């Protein structure tokens, strides 16, 4: 009797695996067909488990390829060893009749996979193994995943509710089907969210309730007085900007960390994810978990699209709003990720850029997140000589490069995952596009790194910021503007200059050092040097805002000056620029193979910083810079260390300092790390949310991130 019963189950199992829906729409049609046929009595209904719905009885044309072979019945499809009773291994037989070792399939579904590895049938019931029995007897699992059973995002990926499709949503299948030639199938924005024609009509600083606050502008001269009888060359003036506090954060309760969508620019985000063969196991599971966090923290007016690439690239999910339905569909797209093939970064970026360029509607902020753990072997050509560099620029579509069409500048925030990625190419991609490069050295911090990035993207409060600098005194000339990677311009006569800053996150700061030449006057009176004015676009009202009053920089010109105190703010920024220059010089030496000189350059800079005014005052930024330089020296100890982590660490640091924006590198997301420069409160809030897992049980032994300030309280500007 038992033998007949088993044969009946196997026969039914074969039938259940014969038809796989080609699209979400077909799946919905099959579900309705199954419901209509449920009222008709069938002999097989008595043999089917109550929890399994009956699929269409007509087999598909590909049914022969899905039949259960004798070999698959005798072997576990995961570990490929024999399935025999009496050997101390529990055996799990799925709804589709395929059998696996319990510990093997439990490890598989632990990552949120509810699809049969053999026939790709969707399971409604999955096994789960407790953490205590994670390592099976007699066979250690390869590439183990140390994720808790109560992990909130793994629970989301593991337990999908039945998909309820909205017939009004034009969503392409995330599993099958051809991609459209033009990606203009993005979901429409709400009427109040849709970007109208931007107004270039200038207005003064907005004070209405529906607009953001003022952009803070301060100036700091190097010293407060210069003798009037002598000229002063290379006199430094610091221009400091600080973005306003978002009203959503200002008015939020103490336990609410998200920034209100009414007080920030909404986002169109495209994630370009590496799913090559090297991402198998732990890496892919952690990527799914991190993407689950991103999806859950996007607002209903934000939109997301998912691109997966290996040897080729494919759009898994069109640009859709992250409503409850959108989140569910996005989670399903992420859950469908599997790893195989090579690494074609250029093709992934091409698809990602196409999503944003072809969209019919636009949110104010558009950005791409790129993650890869390998090197592009399809596009980048090897250098012709030993000293020439590969053409990394070819990886990025021309349409979104900074020197391309000004209207299509889309920053790519690149994340190098692990120690095998091509840090030089990832840094070049981010630098050319206007994004940042982060180095995820420890695989487990990928979610924190993503959290820091979206914490900034979801808090943009001012856009298209531009600083204009004009000499007031007729004999004063601007000799240089040090703005890092930001585009700056200086007129030939040295009388006017400007810096294009772009978007700023809530409470984000920028510092630019202007060098001028001061002439001798012989007159005892205050001297006006520069006039600084800012303009920006309000993302709420879409209007250009010009500061109502220009900031005037003045100094005293007495006949004799006593001992003058150097401005701490100016000295701090000189140290930052000096450290960044030393990092760039050390990197050049390291790439030439001269690690000894690279270490010497960093050590000389560290000693010079320790003797400055801000170092003697134990300035936090100066301490952090010295710690960062010391860390870079250690990562240049030998060629092996530099190749595995040193290069990526240095490039991530250069990216952070050149854009004055936080990047993840080393343990920079840890609360005990000294390298936390440029983090904004919104970033800290999001990382804290990631580390404490608000939607689930907090992760054990994780420290809550304290709010990190790049700079201590500033002195009153002169």
């Amino acid at each position: 009797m038992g033998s007949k019963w088993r044969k009946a189950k196997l026969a039914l199992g074969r039938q259940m695996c014969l038809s796989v829906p080609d699209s979400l729409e077909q799946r919905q049609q099959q579900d309705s067909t199954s419901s209509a046929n449920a009222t008709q009595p069938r002999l097989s209904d008595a043999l089917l488990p109550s929890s399994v719905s009956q699929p269409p009885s007509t087999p598909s044309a590909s049914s022969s390829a899905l039949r259960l072979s004798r070999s698959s019945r005798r072997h576990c499809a995961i570990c490929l060893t024999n399935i025999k009773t009496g050997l101390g291994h529990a055996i799990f037989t799925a709804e589709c009749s395929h059998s696996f070792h319990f510990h093997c399939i439990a490890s598989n579904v632990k990552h949120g996979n509810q699809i049969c590895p053999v026939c790709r049938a969707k399971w409604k019931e999955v096994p789960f193994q407790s953490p205590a029995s994670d390592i099976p007897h007699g066979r250690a699992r390869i590439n183990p995943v140390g994720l808790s059973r109560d992990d909130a995002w793994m629970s989301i990926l593991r337990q999908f509710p039945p998909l309820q499709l909205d017939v009004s949503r034009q969503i392409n299948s995330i599993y099958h089907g051809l991609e459209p030639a033009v990606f203009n199938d993005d979901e429409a924005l709400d009427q109040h969210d849709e970007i109208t024609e931007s107004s270039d009509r200038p207005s003064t600083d907005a004070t209405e309730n529906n607009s953001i606050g003022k952009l803070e502008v301060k100036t700091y001269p190097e010293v407060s007085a210069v003798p009037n009888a002598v000229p002063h060359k290379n006199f430094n003036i610091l221009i400091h900007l600080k973005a306003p506090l978002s009203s959503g954060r200002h008015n939020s309760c103490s336990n609410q960390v998200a920034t209100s969508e009414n007080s920030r620019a909404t986002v169109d985000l495209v994630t370009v994810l590496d799913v090559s063969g090297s991402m198998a196991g732990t890496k892919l599971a952690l990527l799914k978990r991190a993407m689950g966090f991103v999806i859950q923290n996007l607002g209903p007016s934000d939109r997301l699209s998912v691109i997966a690439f290996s040897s080729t690239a494919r759009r898994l999910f069109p640009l859709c709003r992250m409503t409850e339905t959108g989140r569910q569909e996005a989670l399903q797209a992420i859950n469908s990720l599997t790893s195989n093939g090579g690494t074609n970064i250029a093709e992934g970026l091409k698809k990602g850029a196409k999503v944003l360029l072809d969209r019919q509607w636009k949110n104010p902020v558009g950005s791409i997140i790129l993650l890869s753990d390998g090197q592009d072997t399809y596009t980048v050509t090897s250098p012709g000589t030993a000293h020439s560099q590969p053409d990394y620029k070819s990886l990025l579509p021309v349409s979104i490069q900074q020197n391309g069409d000004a209207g299509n500048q889309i920053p790519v925030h690149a994340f190098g995952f692990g120690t095998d990625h091509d840090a030089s190419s990832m840094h070049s991609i981010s630098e050319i596009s206007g994004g940042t490069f982060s180095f995820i050295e420890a695989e487990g911090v990928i979610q924190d790194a993503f959290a820091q990035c979206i914490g900034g993207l979801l808090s943009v409060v001012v856009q298209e910021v531009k600083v204009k600098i004009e000499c007031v005194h007729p004999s004063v000339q601007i000799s240089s503007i040090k703005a890092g990677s930001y585009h700056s311009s200086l007129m030939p006569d040295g009388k006017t200059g400007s810096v294009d800053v772009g978007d700023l996150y809530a409470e984000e700061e920028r510092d630019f050092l202007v060098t001028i030449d001061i002439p001798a006057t012989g007159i005892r009176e205050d001297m006006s040097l520069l006039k600084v004015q800012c303009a920006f676009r309000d993302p709420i009202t879409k209007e250009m805002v010009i500061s109502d009053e220009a900031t005037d920089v003045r100094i005293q010109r007495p006949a004799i000056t006593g001992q003058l105190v150097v401005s701490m703010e100016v000295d701090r920024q000189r140290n930052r620029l000096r450290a960044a220059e030393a990092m760039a010089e050390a990197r050049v030496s390291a790439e030439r193979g001269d690690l000894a000189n690279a270490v010497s350059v960093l050590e000389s800079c560290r000693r010079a910083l320790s003797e400055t005014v801000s170092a003697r005052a134990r300035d936090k930024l100066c301490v952090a810079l010295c710690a960062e330089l010391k860390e870079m020296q250690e990562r240049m100890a030998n060629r092996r260390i530099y190749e595995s982590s040193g290069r990526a660490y240095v490039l991530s640091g250069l990216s952070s300092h050149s854009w004055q924006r936080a990047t993840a590198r080393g343990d920079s997301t840890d609360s005990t790390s000294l390298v936390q420069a440029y983090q904004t409160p919104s970033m800290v809030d999001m990382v804290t949310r990631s580390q404490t897992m608000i939607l689930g049980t907090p992760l054990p032994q994780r420290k809550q991130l304290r709010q990190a300030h790049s700079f201590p309280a500033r002195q009153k500007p002169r």
Side-chain angles (χ1 to χ4, degrees), residues 143 275-285 338-340 373:
N143 204 6
V275 291
S276 58
S278 58
M279 287 289 294
T282 304
K283 287 183 177 180
L284 187 61
T338 57
S339 57
N340 60 75
D373 74 331

Side-chain angles (χ1 to χ4, degrees), residues 526-545:
D526 289 354
M527 184 177 186
S528 293
L529 303 177
L530 299 177
K531 183 171 65 175
V532 180
Q533 195 168 32
C534 274
F536 62 90
R537 188 177 299 279
D538 188 324
I540 308 301
T541 64
K542 311 296 188 298
E543 292 184 346
M544 288 299 299
V545 179

